[in-house]
Amino acid sequence: MKRLLLFISLSFSAFGSTAQTFDDWIIQRTYVDCQDVAQHAAEIIGALYDQQKIDSIYLFLDYWENKCEVTPLVFHTQVLLDIQTQRFYEDRINKGFIHELRFYKLSAEHINQRNDQPITIPSPRYQELRRIDRAMIQLIQRIAKDIALYDNEDEQMILEFYDADLPSFRRIQQADPEDSRLAFYYHQVIKEAKNMPYYDVALFSGFSQFQGGVAIFGTRPSLGFSLGIGFDRHHINAVFDFKFGPSPTDFDVQLSDTLLSLTNWTGTYFGIEYAYDLVKKPRFEAAISPGIAYKVILVLEEDNNFQADDVTINGINLSIGASLKYKFLRKTYFLANLRYNYVNYRNRGGTPLEGSYYDVRLGVGWMLNHNRDDVLRQLRD
């Protein structure tokens, strides 16, 4: 504590001293650590700003950055000072600049949400970091309010962004990307965020209505789940679907020299289904979905009267379908899927099993795309 008091007292006494400037003093004191600088940064910068010692603020910001390495609020302070002193150049605006604004918006939202509430997390270090951020954000707002002159629309939008208690991208979002470098890179970042991969898992149940050569299976219930990955409007899902007999009609299966007439069976569907969203809204998606799968029907289990191993009938399943998703919670959605399937089972010596069937699936899914959603939410209002 004594070192901190000495640091602050020497800093402010040096501001008005003619024998030694603040610039000279700060260069000489390399023993001050990151915590010392960060704890009193807002007070020191504020005092220097009151005296319009802008070059000293730049030196202090460099000093702070060297001491702490990761200092996000230094960036935003420098941007405002550059605009005030006409040192800000448009080529500084890029995708990284947009992300820095996004991080600042997140910090400002966090600070303002807690501004009127006691911090309940039992961590003195956490409380101190919140205090430092709050003081610096208030100082950044103050500097932004003071700047009356700017060179172009981008600088004006930057000032409005920092001036607000809750920063917003609304003005940037509405600007013309052809006229505004800020708007151009903002929309580039939005596009990249939309293309970030996201994941989901769904559980469903339903039924299958068999037709043609497979009509002997009748209408059977099914249970399944899917694991998916998506990019904007594109989805690829690994689907596992299980159907259960018995069949209302006997079917024949060749086992060595014996022709068996069976009704019991269990079907397993291992498929890859692609979906493209024809309609994509915040809560609603409607997609067309082709797919291919490997179908296996277990017709005779290992524990049987014929002393035979498991007997299965296999085939390739081709399908086309329509899928609807409705989000009723932020990460949870209702799923409805209707598919038309063509299948040809290899049942040599037995009943020909080639035909089609309709699948109806209803279920619930969960989106596992926290990073993508958080980035888009932070970039929008």
Side-chain angles (χ1 to χ4, degrees), residues 93-117:
I93 299 175
N94 51 32
K95 288 184 285 190
F97 189 93
I98 300 298
H99 283 295
E100 290 291 349
L101 295 183
R102 175 172 69 86
F103 297 142
Y104 177 85
K105 177 175 182 280
L106 188 63
S107 297
E109 289 174 345
H110 188 60
I111 293 301
N112 278 282
Q113 287 171 357
R114 295 183 178 273
N115 198 30
D116 299 325
Q117 302 175 11

Side-chain angles (χ1 to χ4, degrees), residues 329-347:
L329 294 175
R330 183 167 174 240
K331 299 293 184 182
T332 309
Y333 62 86
F334 169 76
L335 167 70
N337 190 299
L338 174 64
R339 306 192 71 81
Y340 173 80
N341 300 262
Y342 166 80
V343 64
N344 184 7
Y345 294 105
R346 298 180 60 187
N347 187 25

Side-chain angles (χ1 to χ4, degrees), residues 223-241:
L223 291 172
F225 67 94
S226 66
L227 304 172
I229 182 172
F231 302 87
D232 194 15
R233 291 177 178 263
H234 305 274
H235 311 261
I236 299 176
N237 298 296
V239 181
F240 304 86
D241 189 358

Side-chain angles (χ1 to χ4, degrees), residues 63-256:
Y63 185 84
W64 185 7
E65 201 164 35
N66 289 332
K67 284 292 181 181
C68 298
E69 295 183 1
V70 180
T71 51
L73 293 176
V74 167
F75 173 87
H76 306 291
T77 309
Q78 288 175 332
V79 167
L80 290 174
L81 295 178
D82 288 347
I83 293 176
Q84 185 181 45
T85 58
Q86 297 183 324
R87 302 178 190 177
F88 187 83
Y89 300 103
E90 65 174 12
D91 58 1
R92 287 187 61 184
I93 299 175
N94 51 32
K95 288 184 285 190
F97 189 93
I98 300 298
H99 283 295
E100 290 291 349
L101 295 183
R102 175 172 69 86
F103 297 142
Y104 177 85
K105 177 175 182 280
L106 188 63
S107 297
E109 289 174 345
H110 188 60
I111 293 301
N112 278 282
Q113 287 171 357
R114 295 183 178 273
N115 198 30
D116 299 325
Q117 302 175 11
I119 297 176
T120 57
I121 296 178
S123 167
R125 176 60 176 164
Y126 178 87
Q127 296 183 35
E128 180 61 21
L129 290 174
R130 296 304 90 192
R131 186 198 69 78
I132 292 170
D133 284 354
R134 180 178 291 113
M136 280 302 302
I137 287 174
Q138 290 173 347
L139 177 61
I140 287 170
Q141 286 180 283
R142 174 190 164 195
I143 296 174
K145 291 179 188 295
D146 285 349
I147 300 175
L149 299 177
Y150 44 83
D151 291 338
N152 51 55
E153 183 185 14
D154 279 349
E155 291 188 6
Q156 182 185 16
M157 289 190 290
I158 292 171
L159 294 176
E160 290 180 1
F161 183 88
Y162 286 123
D163 185 8
D165 289 336
L166 292 176
S168 169
F169 283 100
R170 186 175 295 110
R171 174 78 185 278
I172 299 172
Q173 185 177 359
Q174 295 171 350
D176 188 347
E178 294 186 0
D179 298 329
S180 165
R181 189 179 177 94
L182 204 59
F184 174 82
Y185 281 108
Y186 169 83
H187 288 287
Q188 288 288 313
V189 171
I190 287 284
K191 183 177 179 180
E192 288 184 358
K194 286 182 176 180
N195 288 328
M196 291 174 63
Y198 56 93
Y199 309 92
D200 65 74
V201 57
L203 302 175
F204 59 84
S205 63
F207 65 90
S208 300
Q209 175 64 58
F210 291 90
Q211 300 177 341
V214 291
I216 58 174
F217 294 135
T219 301
R220 305 313 306 160
S222 64
L223 291 172
F225 67 94
S226 66
L227 304 172
I229 182 172
F231 302 87
D232 194 15
R233 291 177 178 263
H234 305 274
H235 311 261
I236 299 176
N237 298 296
V239 181
F240 304 86
D241 189 358
F242 307 95
K243 306 183 191 304
F244 310 96
S247 172
T249 305
D250 291 352
F251 59 93
D252 296 333
V253 176
Q254 184 75 37
L255 178 59
S256 299

